Amino acid sequence: MAANGASCEQPQKRAGAKDKQNGRSTDLSIRERRQKDKEERLSLVLWRRPVITLRYFLLETLIKLKEWTFKLWQRRGTVSLFLVLCSASYLAYYTEGTHQQYVQYLEKKFLWCAYWVGLGILSSVGLGTGLHTFLLYLGPHIASVTLAAYECGSTDFPEPPYPDQIICPQDEVDGNISLFSIMSKVRLEACMWGAGTAIGELPPYFMARAARQSGADPDDEDYEEFEEMLEQAEGAQDFVTRAKLGVQHMVQKVGFFGILACASIPNPLFDLAGITCGHFLVPFWTFFGATLIGKAIIKMHIQKLFVIITFSKHIVEQMVLLIGSVPKVGPALQKPFSQYLEAQRNKLHHYITICLYEDN
């Protein structure tokens, strides 16, 4: 009996070994096929294979046009309403009348919002290689409004020239400036910039989602790094890999609130959250809604509050005193800095000086 049992186990072990070998060979063949397909896709460029590249381009264009036409036909009611609204807007814009002042106001606001949304997109698009528009544009704008508000004693800057140029109002002001009044003054610009950063996080999401649904590996280094990280998750020891895994686990397990938490704080690994959401087929509105709330509302108010507090009047005065207390180089640095602040104050009161000169 024991001999019969041992003889039965030996064929089973051999069969199991053969199955493992077949599985390994199948995995190798799939990887070789994927690598071959990837090399073939990379060779499809205009300067190497122009005829076949243009042929595929035209075929893909025709297929996409057919798909879009079919989708638009399915939503013909919405398309008709959109065309009616566009026609009404065109007539209102080019027809003379008393409504033109409202049209010009809406046009100005729309262009102002589009400007900040565009800067926000430039900041977050490109998988971490975007332009740091907060440090270059939004941060200095908030700082200049904060300094002007404390110097003028008001946030009712005359429009125009605001926002192109900040000048103190000519009328008498009470001089009571609160933190919330400055925050409300720059809320529109900050929220539009935050919305732009949320829009800029969509390409990694769509790229990973399309790759998961099609079953093909995209030609992207971050996505390949993400796949390798998932495969080697068990033996991760370094801090960066563990941080990436933490973001991935939070987004995958917590869902909407995990995405919201990652988007609400300055997080250089948020691109990984977008790739994770796309890879695990998280619904679009779950990802974009949490990202929009986190970046355009929560995170923007934190950054805005930090800049306003940093450039408040008493903080700036203390900073000038601290610069002067630095041994040897302090007084030399304090003088040009104080002169710069004085020049900015005179610039803010330039409008009042001109008006008084004209009255005399």
Side-chain angles (χ1 to χ4, degrees):
M1 295 288 289
N4 292 333
S7 63
C8 291
E9 288 177 359
Q10 289 178 357
Q12 290 178 358
K13 290 181 179 178
R14 291 174 183 174
K18 288 182 179 179
D19 291 340
K20 289 182 179 179
Q21 291 178 356
N22 292 333
R24 290 176 182 175
S25 62
T26 304
D27 292 339
L28 289 174
S29 63
I30 291 174
R31 289 183 179 179
E32 290 176 357
R33 189 182 304 171
R34 286 185 175 180
Q35 184 65 25
K36 186 177 179 181
D37 292 341
K38 183 177 180 180
E39 292 176 356
E40 187 176 355
R41 288 196 307 270
L42 291 175
S43 66
L44 285 174
V45 290
L46 193 60
W47 55 88
R48 290 182 183 175
R49 304 167 69 181
V51 177
I52 192 170
T53 303
L54 289 174
R55 178 173 175 268
Y56 285 152
F57 169 74
L58 292 174
L59 290 174
E60 184 68 19
T61 303
L62 291 175
I63 292 171
K64 289 297 182 183
L65 287 175
K66 183 179 178 181
E67 291 178 358
W68 293 343
T69 303
F70 182 71
K71 290 180 180 179
L72 290 175
W73 178 253
Q74 286 182 324
R75 298 171 176 83
R76 52 187 176 273
T78 306
V79 174
S80 300
L81 180 61
F82 177 75
L83 292 176
V84 170
L85 290 175
C86 289
S87 301
S89 301
Y90 178 83
L91 292 174
Y93 187 80
Y94 286 101
T95 304
E96 297 294 334
T98 56
H99 65 283
Q100 281 297 321
Q101 56 180 340
Y102 303 106
V103 172
Q104 292 175 2
Y105 174 79
L106 291 175
E107 181 186 11
K108 180 182 176 182
K109 286 296 182 183
F110 174 78
L111 294 176
W112 182 241
C113 293
Y115 171 76
W116 288 109
V117 170
L119 289 177
I121 294 173
L122 290 175
S123 177
S124 61
V125 78
L127 294 169
T129 60
L131 186 67
H132 298 288
T133 53
F134 181 84
L135 296 176
L136 295 174
Y137 295 94
L138 184 60
H141 174 71
I142 297 174
S144 61
V145 170
T146 303
L147 293 173
Y150 280 107
E151 177 63 26
C152 302
S154 173
T155 56
D156 296 328
F157 310 123
E159 297 186 27
Y162 183 83
D164 297 327
Q165 184 181 1
I166 302 177
I167 296 174
C168 292
Q170 185 179 3
D171 301 333
E172 293 292 332
V173 293
D174 54 2
N176 293 325
I177 293 296
S178 65
L179 190 67
F180 297 103
S181 63
I182 303 175
M183 291 179 66
S184 62
K185 184 67 176 178
V186 295
R187 181 176 292 120
L188 179 63
E189 299 92 315
C191 290
M192 290 298 105
W193 186 88
T197 60
I199 296 172
E201 300 292 350
L202 293 180
Y205 170 82
F206 284 124
M207 175 266 298
R209 185 181 180 89
R212 179 67 183 272
Q213 290 176 339
S214 64
D217 294 331
D219 302 327
D220 188 89
E221 295 180 358
D222 283 344
Y223 189 80
E224 291 176 359
E225 180 186 352
F226 175 72
E227 290 284 351
E228 292 176 1
M229 188 188 68
L230 291 181
E231 293 176 0
Q232 303 172 358
E234 298 295 332
Q237 297 295 331
D238 58 294
F239 174 77
V240 176
T241 304
R242 280 185 286 145
K244 292 180 179 179
L245 284 172
V247 172
Q248 185 256 327
H249 287 313
M250 179 182 292
V251 170
Q252 185 180 357
K253 293 181 179 180
V254 185
F256 179 88
F257 293 101
I259 302 169
L260 183 65
C262 291
S264 299
I265 57 175
N267 186 3
L269 301 177
F270 191 78
D271 286 328
L272 187 65
I275 295 175
T276 303
C277 292
H279 181 79
F280 292 103
L281 302 180
V282 173
F284 170 76
W285 286 111
T286 300
F287 170 72
F288 185 67
T291 305
L292 185 65
I293 295 172
K295 285 184 172 291
I297 299 177
I298 301 176
K299 180 183 173 183
M300 254 344 293
H301 277 80
I302 296 173
Q303 291 178 306
K304 182 170 56 174
L305 189 64
F306 174 78
V307 175
I308 292 173
I309 292 175
T310 302
F311 286 89
S312 297
K313 186 176 181 180
H314 60 285
I315 298 292
V316 173
E317 291 176 351
Q318 290 178 2
M319 187 169 60
V320 173
L321 293 176
L322 286 175
I323 291 175
S325 63
V326 176
K328 295 183 179 180
V329 297
L333 293 175
Q334 186 182 29
K335 184 176 180 181
F337 191 73
S338 301
Q339 290 176 350
Y340 172 78
L341 291 177
E342 187 64 28
Q344 292 300 312
R345 293 191 183 99
N346 294 333
K347 186 178 178 181
L348 293 172
H349 291 286
H350 182 63
Y351 180 78
I352 298 178
T353 306
I354 292 175
C355 291
L356 292 174
Y357 178 77
E358 291 178 350
D359 290 340
N360 293 330

